[in-house]
Amino acid sequence: VPVLTDYVCLQEGYVTDLTCLWEKYPHTDLSFQVKFFYLCQLSYWIHSLPELYFQRVRKEEIPRQLQYIGLYLLHIAGAYLLNLTRLGMVLLVLQCVAELVFHMSRLLYFIDENNQKFFNAWAVVFVVTRLMTLTLTVLVVGFGLSRVEHQTFDIEKGIFNTFPIRLCILTTMCITQAWMMWRFINFQLRRWREFRAEQASRRKVTGVMAMKGRVVRREPGHHENGLIKSENGASPRARKSRSP
């Protein structure tokens, strides 16, 4: 998916010229590859809903999966129905890159549990993706669409460029990105606490093993009440000092 999205964006020129994201709105004349891509995306996420039942997903995992699928459907369908397909394509590129880095980090972690450096790279990519998503949305919806020619609401022509609709789009995007950042921060804090607890348990185990491995030299016999007893339990007799 990331490769296909990048290819479509480069072919359509969405990345090289950002002004095309809001110029000539509404973007109702879609090329075949753009329309095919959106239909494939919508079909994939819609079919993911009944797939939860057929895959027999655990009940505690279903709410998280529904949130994940619902967010994708909301943003992809919103971009398609409101004729913001160009902005939606660019935002999907950013999201797919972050998802690709995350799944690569998980794969490397499954191969070697000590290899967690890629999770740090994913954390940086995730934060940058959220910032770029908000920046592009404000640039296109807040500034770009407010200066185009059509500033009306016309369903027949596919024009949805009014101030309340733009405000609704910006609010939805800000809430979504803030919610994702909140979950990300909680995940990082939980991961940091688990790492600290694991390190503390390892140091504790290492200290116990070191104490067990320490060899203490003692005199022959055994100690009892501060006195040295011989092997048969009797105290050794004190030696008499010879008189000069």
Side-chain angles (χ1 to χ4, degrees):
V1 174
V3 177
L4 178 60
T5 313
D6 294 341
Y7 174 77
V8 175
C9 287
L10 291 175
Q11 287 292 108
E12 297 294 329
Y14 297 160
V15 180
T16 57
D17 185 13
L18 293 179
T19 58
C20 70
L21 298 180
W22 63 82
E23 288 182 349
K24 298 180 181 179
Y25 180 83
H27 306 142
T28 55
D29 297 330
L30 302 179
S31 61
F32 170 76
Q33 56 188 3
V34 174
K35 185 174 292 187
F36 180 74
F37 174 80
Y38 269 96
L39 292 178
C40 289
Q41 284 290 311
L42 291 173
S43 301
Y44 173 78
W45 292 110
I46 290 174
H47 108 279
S48 298
L49 293 173
E51 191 177 0
L52 295 175
Y53 172 77
F54 292 111
Q55 288 184 348
R56 296 183 178 180
V57 180
R58 293 181 299 178
K59 291 183 179 180
E60 57 270 16
E61 289 290 328
I62 291 179
R64 186 179 65 85
Q65 293 290 336
L66 290 177
Q67 291 176 355
Y68 187 74
I69 297 171
L71 284 176
Y72 268 102
L73 280 175
L74 174 65
H75 290 79
I76 295 174
Y80 185 78
L81 295 175
L82 297 177
N83 293 320
L84 294 172
T85 52
R86 299 180 182 181
L87 176 63
M89 288 287 294
V90 177
L91 296 182
L92 275 175
V93 169
L94 297 175
Q95 180 62 25
C96 289
V97 170
E99 291 285 341
L100 177 63
V101 176
F102 175 68
H103 289 297
M104 288 181 61
S105 303
R106 291 183 62 190
L107 180 61
L108 294 174
Y109 176 76
F110 292 150
I111 295 175
D112 184 9
E113 294 184 356
N114 296 323
N115 191 1
Q116 297 186 359
K117 295 181 179 180
F118 280 89
F119 279 110
N120 298 330
W122 166 72
V124 175
V125 173
F126 184 88
V127 175
V128 172
T129 301
R130 305 281 73 78
L131 294 176
M132 293 183 66
T133 299
L134 284 176
T135 303
L136 280 175
T137 304
V138 173
L139 177 64
V140 175
V141 179
F143 295 98
L145 293 180
S146 62
R147 298 179 181 180
V148 298
E149 180 181 359
H150 303 287
Q151 297 286 331
T152 58
F153 177 80
D154 192 345
I155 298 180
E156 294 181 357
K157 295 182 179 179
I159 301 175
F160 304 93
N161 190 16
T162 59
F163 178 76
I165 293 179
R166 293 198 303 268
L167 182 61
C168 182
I169 294 173
L170 289 174
T171 304
T172 303
M173 291 298 297
C174 290
I175 292 175
T176 302
Q177 301 306 311
W179 179 76
M180 294 177 69
M181 280 299 301
W182 175 255
R183 288 178 59 88
F184 172 77
I185 292 172
N186 288 334
F187 170 76
Q188 292 295 330
L189 290 176
R190 184 172 65 252
R191 179 167 165 259
W192 179 73
R193 286 193 293 266
E194 291 175 356
F195 177 76
R196 291 293 299 271
E198 184 180 355
Q199 291 294 323
S201 63
R202 286 183 179 179
R203 286 195 296 266
K204 185 177 180 181
V205 171
T206 303
V208 171
M209 295 299 294
M211 291 294 294
K212 288 183 178 180
R214 185 179 298 173
V215 179
V216 180
R217 297 182 61 183
R218 294 183 176 182
E219 298 182 10
H222 63 278
H223 292 260
E224 184 178 336
N225 296 329
L227 299 177
I228 301 177
K229 299 291 184 177
S230 60
E231 296 297 333
N232 56 3
S235 301
R237 296 180 180 180
R239 295 182 180 181
K240 295 181 179 180
S241 59
R242 295 180 180 181
S243 57

